[in-house]
């Protein structure tokens, strides 16, 4: 397979073959982080800009670590420390960054569609690191990588996504990718946090015990108070009483159910500490896999002469989406 995608903007519409190709590439990079000298020359001479309009720990750090482990120069810019604070627009900022000839820009932005807007106007690969409540493709891909490492396949798995689905870009990206890989998705949360448009694509329930019954994987989501302009539930205590993932709530899940959370965690609200830190939790593995997955994404999008370095991966049809216009 020749991976010709120019940008990584989202997982909606991405083919099974493209997703598996990214996961296979990430798997081949995983062992670099286990070496004593965690550095390869693959992206030497390349410059990557991380532009974060919103707070981030995991995504920002793992992109930076991924770039540096591949010998790229990583320059980090936050909205507060840039001329955005003086009123400069996203487009003007991005044009000025692009004029410095980076090889890729990673963007996190509170507005859905911001990375797509840039991708049409700036001549370098754009990677979506989370746009509003729309998509967070690298988070979903690292989630898939983690599940596949434990279960071998996503095909036929029953996966519950629990919590604030309405405001979750992680839920949207996961829903697209899990369905493309043949998993059965169940959305669980209060009616006010389950958007109508997603009900066509997944089973929906407002009962936590019913939602986790017979599942192979339970993904819990953070309650995003900063995006909630209205009261979607009476109080955090009330939310936790019905939707906090506890040991007893998990009783009906399959033995060895995987417990996931993209972070950051609100302990005792969406997930109990003994579940988050318990034997079935793979939350820290998700974080570890974030580095390998982001190495793969940088490699596939930025290393245009990569064919010579490609790991052996089974041939698959060419990707249909996100190619550079023209
Ligand atoms: N999961 C995730 O996106 O975490 P950060 O907001 O810390 O990057």
């Amino acid at each position: 397979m020749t991976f010709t995608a120019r940008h990584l903007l989202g997982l909606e519409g991405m083919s099974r073959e493209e997703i598996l190709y990214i996961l296979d590439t990430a798997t081949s990079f995983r062992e670099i982080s286990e070496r004593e000298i965690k550095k390869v020359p693959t992206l030497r001479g390349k410059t990557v800009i991380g532009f974060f309009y919103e707070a981030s720990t995991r995504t920002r750090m793992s992109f930076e670590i991924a770039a540096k482990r591949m010998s790229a120069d990583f320059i980090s810019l936050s909205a507060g420390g840039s001329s955005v604070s003086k009123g400069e627009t996203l487009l003007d900022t991005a044009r000025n960054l692009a004029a410095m000839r980076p090889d890729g820009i990673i963007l996190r932005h509170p507005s859905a569609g911001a990375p797509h807007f840039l991708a049409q106007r700036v001549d370098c690969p754009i990677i979506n690191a989370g746009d509003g409540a729309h998509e967070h493709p690298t988070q979903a891909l690292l989630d898939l990588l983690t599940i596949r490492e434990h279960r071998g396949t996503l095909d036929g798995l029953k996966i519950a996504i629990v919590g604030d689905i309405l405001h979750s870009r992680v839920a949207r990206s996961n829903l697209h990718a899990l369905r493309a890989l043949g998993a059965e998705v169940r959305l669980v949360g209060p009616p006010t946090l389950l958007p109508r448009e997603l009900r066509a694509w997944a089973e929906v329930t407002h009962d936590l015990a019913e939602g986790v019954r017979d599942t192979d994987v339970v993904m819990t989501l953070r309650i995003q108070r900063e995006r909630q302009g209205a009261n979607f539930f009476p109080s955090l205590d009330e939310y936790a009483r019905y939707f906090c993932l506890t040991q007893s709530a998990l009783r009906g899940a399959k033995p060895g159910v995987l417990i996931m959370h993209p972070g950051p965690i609100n302990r005792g609200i969406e997930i109990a500490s003994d579940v988050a830190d318990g034997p079935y939790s793979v939350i820290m593995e998700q974080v570890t896999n974030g580095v390998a997955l982001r190495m793969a994404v940088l490699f596939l999008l930025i290393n245009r002469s990569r064919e010579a370095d490609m790991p052996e991966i089974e041939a698959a049809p060419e990707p249909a989406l996100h190619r550079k216009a023209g």
Side-chain angles (χ1 to χ4, degrees), residues 219-297:
M219 286 185 188
T220 44
L221 299 173
R222 182 172 70 87
I223 284 293
Q224 300 197 32
R225 300 293 279 186
E226 76 278 15
R227 292 192 212 281
Q228 294 179 1
N231 288 327
F232 288 89
F233 43 83
S235 68
L236 285 177
D237 281 350
E238 179 105 350
Y239 179 85
R241 190 169 335 136
Y242 290 100
F243 293 102
C244 184
L245 194 66
T246 58
Q247 297 281 4
S248 66
L250 275 169
R251 240 178 252 138
K254 284 188 184 160
V257 61
L258 300 181
I259 306 299
M260 307 182 78
H261 194 302
I265 290 174
N266 294 304
R267 288 175 183 267
I269 295 173
E270 66 253 4
I271 187 166
S273 273
D274 60 349
V275 175
D277 304 328
Y280 304 123
S281 170
V282 294
I283 295 171
M284 288 303 117
E285 289 175 44
Q286 289 173 263
V287 178
T288 301
N289 279 335
V291 175
L293 188 282
R294 288 169 177 130
M295 286 171 83
V297 168

Side-chain angles (χ1 to χ4, degrees), residues 11-12 19 140-141 144 154 172-183:
L11 300 183
E12 184 174 7
I19 294 171
L141 289 166
L144 266 54
L154 276 290
R172 272 175 191 73
S173 286
N174 261 301
L175 184 54
H176 296 308
L178 288 168
R179 281 167 49 89
L181 294 200

Side-chain angles (χ1 to χ4, degrees), residues 52 54-62 108 129-130 136 138-139 142-143 169-170 222 261-264 286-287 294:
F52 281 72
E54 286 184 335
S56 170
T57 297
R58 282 147 289 267
T59 311
R60 183 174 181 154
M61 293 310 298
S62 61
R108 170 168 286 190
H136 191 349
T138 57
Q139 177 66 47
L142 74 88
D143 293 342
R169 51 199 179 202
V170 175
R222 182 172 70 87
H261 194 302
Q286 289 173 263
V287 178
R294 288 169 177 130

